[in-house]
Amino acid sequence: GAGVSQTPSNKVTEKGKYVELRCDPISGHTALYWYRQSLGQGPEFLIYFQGTGAADDSGLPNDRFFAVRPEGSVSTLKIQRTERGDSAVYLCASSLWTSGGEQFFGPGTRLTVL
Amino acid sequence: KNEVEQSPQNLTAQEGEFITINCSYSVGISALHWLQQHPGGGIVSLFMLSSGKKKHGRLIATINIQEKHSSLHITASHPRDSAVYICAVRWQDTDKLIFGTGTRLQVFP
């Protein structure tokens, strides 16, 4: 079956612009996670959803970052007033359930802020 | 100090060599994951373990909960094993993963 998909695969934007990154989890997976990976680093947790609600958003770096999952499937990560330091690969993962389920990762969206 | 530390950061090997990558963590965990990331590619989950040992093909993962340490072994390494291997832990009572910085492995023919 289809894995986790993310769009766009690459996004180049200018400092100060607004961007949206989309994640389509594996069908039926209730948990969805967002991570950010800077060059040469391991991924860092941003937020995760259980169903439609954000169960833990403690990794969002500031209030410019926001994520939604209105119907419990597709999720959108939104970044306002982008800064050059936001440049990274944004990874999405989903799992069948939380509390120990294996996470399946998408290919990521490479965001470049000029 | 990172909660999850991996060693070595970089590793080169000749085809056929036995590879060991280590991961140490400083917090109580409910599970530990080993992940593989190819250049320009996505992340693939190799193992998820909370005790003992798991084996899949030429890959073996072990964990010692008391010592807060895990190892990933690759037997009979092959150039296609070249990738970044990442250790990630799931903290107790949370569902988020904390990642190590990865070990870059290059296997030469």
Side-chain angles (χ1 to χ4, degrees), chain B residues 47 53-56 58-62 71-73 75:
Chain B
F47 295 102
K53 176 180 174 179
K54 286 190 175 181
K55 183 176 189 294
H56 184 250
R58 294 181 295 105
L59 302 178
I60 303 167
T62 64
S71 293
L72 175 69
H73 305 286
T75 62

Side-chain angles (χ1 to χ4, degrees), chain B residues 23-40:
Chain B
C23 176
S24 297
Y25 52 92
S26 58
V27 296
I29 68 169
S30 58
L32 182 143
H33 298 247
W34 280 103
L35 309 163
Q36 181 192 55
Q37 186 172 34
H38 282 279

Side-chain angles (χ1 to χ4, degrees), chain A residues 15-35:
Chain A
K15 181 175 177 294
K17 299 288 189 182
Y18 168 83
V19 297
E20 289 190 352
L21 311 178
R22 177 186 165 110
C23 173
D24 279 88
I26 292 173
S27 178
H29 280 194
T30 61
L32 185 146
Y33 307 79
W34 283 101
Y35 301 95

